[in-house]
Amino acid sequence: MKRAPLESRPDEMRRRWALCSALTAAQGRPDHCCARDRTWHYDDGGGNWADVRILDEGRAVLVGHDHEYSDTYYAGAAPYFGEPETDLLADTPAWWRDAIEDYLTDIERNGMWIGFVYGFDGGVWTRADYTVADGFESLALPTVTHEATARHLTEFLQHIARDQGISADVDPQAVAAAIAAGADVSEDQLRTLFGARQLDVAAGVAAARAFR
């Protein structure tokens, strides 16, 4: 196996994911970024997605797909597209497959293609050994670093402000404070972050709480 291009531990990603979820829920799009039981979901709105499934003993599996840049045609995708298959689970521990068995079923049933599978063993993220682009870095998952999350929140808040015809200024201190709070972010912190934007603060808090 090889080291995966992801340095953050799941517990570090949790608070960032919670804030991204708070923002999408506050916009009325709760399904784009959310926590469902022990699975954290992200959908960029353009058909690209990633999920982190939290397991016992500090382990986790990250699975997802970028429909433009994932060149790893796994399982049913290979014959469907007439491309050589990349075995994303080659030489990986059995618990990786166990964790994503339902995704593998969806490949055959719904054409839910998988471009990458990474496993976290409690210390580092790893992946199967392959050379083609798997689409993870192209996906630009906003929870990979604090900086990526701050940039994601800022850009989306600026876009919302322009749509609503108000000032697009975003307070970087409010962004940092909200990310630091993570799943425990308060309504007051979100009000400060959102400013005059017409967003549902209560929905944002509820979405963040699901990451506790």
Side-chain angles (χ1 to χ4, degrees), residues 1-181:
M1 294 194 298
K2 295 184 66 174
R3 186 79 172 256
L6 178 59
E7 298 298 328
S8 292
R9 299 172 56 89
D11 57 342
E12 295 172 327
M13 298 172 69
R14 181 190 298 270
R15 62 179 179 272
R16 304 171 196 152
W17 217 299
L19 258 294
C20 291
S21 179
L23 179 57
T24 56
Q27 295 177 74
R29 300 185 299 139
D31 293 336
H32 279 237
C33 187
C34 58
R36 301 167 177 163
D37 296 323
R38 303 188 75 179
T39 299
W40 307 340
H41 177 68
Y42 170 76
D43 179 340
D44 73 353
N48 307 316
W49 62 278
D51 284 0
V52 168
R53 181 152 288 177
I54 302 300
L55 309 174
D56 295 331
E57 302 176 5
R59 301 179 302 181
V61 172
L62 169 68
V63 56
H65 184 253
D66 184 311
H67 72 88
E68 293 179 294
Y69 297 105
S70 292
D71 293 331
T72 45
Y73 295 91
Y74 180 57
Y80 183 88
F81 291 102
E83 298 286 350
E85 180 181 4
T86 300
D87 186 354
L88 299 177
L89 295 178
D91 299 321
T92 63
W95 56 268
W96 289 30
R97 175 176 289 276
D98 293 341
I100 63 168
E101 191 64 43
D102 53 330
Y103 295 88
L104 302 179
T105 301
D106 281 341
I107 287 178
E108 304 299 334
R109 186 173 64 235
N110 299 324
M112 183 179 176
W113 315 123
I114 293 176
F116 49 85
V117 181
Y118 299 165
F120 183 78
D121 62 3
V124 297
W125 290 97
T126 55
R127 64 165 175 81
D129 188 0
Y130 50 81
T131 58
V132 295
D134 63 15
F136 173 73
E137 292 179 281
S138 300
L139 176 64
L141 183 65
T143 60
V144 293
T145 64
H146 172 87
E147 292 75 18
T149 304
R151 183 168 57 252
H152 175 81
L153 296 175
T154 299
E155 290 175 353
F156 267 80
L157 287 169
Q158 289 172 336
H159 179 74
I160 293 167
R162 287 192 290 268
D163 283 349
Q164 295 181 359
I166 61 177
S167 171
D169 291 344
V170 179
D171 182 354
Q173 293 184 332
V175 173
I179 295 172

